[in-house]
Amino acid sequence: MTAQHIINSLEFARKSLEIRDTIAHSDLQRAKDLLTPETESLDWRLSGEISADKKARLHLSLTGNVAVPCQRCLEPMMIALSISSEFILVKDESEIPPEEDDVKDHDYLVAEAEMDVLQLVEDEILLALPYAPKHEIKDCAVKAEVNERKAPNPFAVLRDFKVVKS
Ligand SMILES: [Zn+2]
């Protein structure tokens, strides 16, 4: 069982703290059923800082291989995750700038005295999973089936037609 990580997010940033850990497939609450058992443990690292612009920030990075069922053949398909996310902590939602001012390289999190880090880790995993993953056709188990379903060569039909006519 992966240890829980509850942090005071603002304090974590102020003290420039860092946590490194791994999370196993079986410990993912929401993503678990979307992934197949070939999923490996994922390494993650959370660090905090007060940046030069005096903003409290959290940085989350996560790497590892997950497996999802291919939507064509249902066989597992490995996906290498390499996530790097930046969060700016705000006191409440009113401090989050409107969408149009938003820059893509970071997100906002409302500061919490008891923030569950694994929830954040899992949010990032869910966001990174493809919506309808499919193998490349050359790697997919239904490749043979697709080939069989191909229409017959039109010239072959023509050849048969000629035979019938003569
Ligand atoms: Zn497939």
Side-chain angles (χ1 to χ4, degrees):
M1 188 75 192
T2 305
Q4 273 218 313
H5 292 283
I6 307 293
I7 61 164
N8 178 324
S9 53
L10 214 48
E11 191 184 275
F12 191 89
R14 283 199 189 113
K15 293 184 175 171
S16 298
L17 298 178
E18 182 187 288
I19 305 173
R20 288 168 192 260
D21 204 353
T22 58
I23 185 162
H25 177 209
S26 55
D27 291 326
L28 294 169
Q29 308 290 315
R30 289 164 290 152
K32 189 176 172 179
D33 296 339
L34 300 172
L35 303 171
T36 66
E38 291 77 9
T39 297
E40 296 166 6
S41 289
L42 303 166
D43 294 318
W44 60 267
R45 171 178 173 269
L46 183 78
S47 59
E49 64 158 351
I50 302 293
S51 49
D53 55 4
K54 306 250 188 292
K55 290 191 164 88
R57 292 175 184 253
L58 295 181
H59 181 82
L60 177 72
S61 56
L62 181 144
T63 54
N65 296 317
V66 296
V68 292
C70 164
Q71 295 303 295
R72 198 185 286 122
C73 69
L74 302 178
E75 292 294 322
M77 180 182 160
M78 295 304 288
I79 297 174
L81 293 184
S82 179
I83 298 169
S84 179
S85 303
E86 192 82 31
F87 302 94
I88 293 181
L89 297 173
V90 292
K91 284 198 185 73
D92 55 62
E93 289 186 1
S94 69
E95 283 188 29
I96 300 176
E99 198 99 31
E100 56 266 31
D101 296 349
D102 205 359
V103 197
K104 275 281 171 216
D105 65 350
H106 59 252
D107 225 323
Y108 291 87
L109 276 182
V110 174
E112 288 176 75
E114 292 188 341
M115 179 185 133
D116 185 343
V117 179
L118 294 184
Q119 290 295 322
L120 183 67
V121 169
E122 189 152 1
D123 284 345
E124 293 302 298
I125 294 170
L126 286 167
L127 283 172
L129 294 180
Y131 174 65
K134 288 192 190 92
H135 290 117
E136 294 277 333
I137 193 75
K138 65 179 167 59
D139 302 325
C140 193
V142 294
K143 175 177 55 183
E145 203 184 322
V146 170
N147 285 341
E148 278 164 25
R149 271 203 229 120
K150 255 197 215 159
N153 183 332
F155 293 107
V157 175
L158 206 62
R159 218 167 32 235
D160 292 345
F161 184 66
K162 270 182 186 165
V163 170
V164 174
K165 270 203 95 179
S166 57

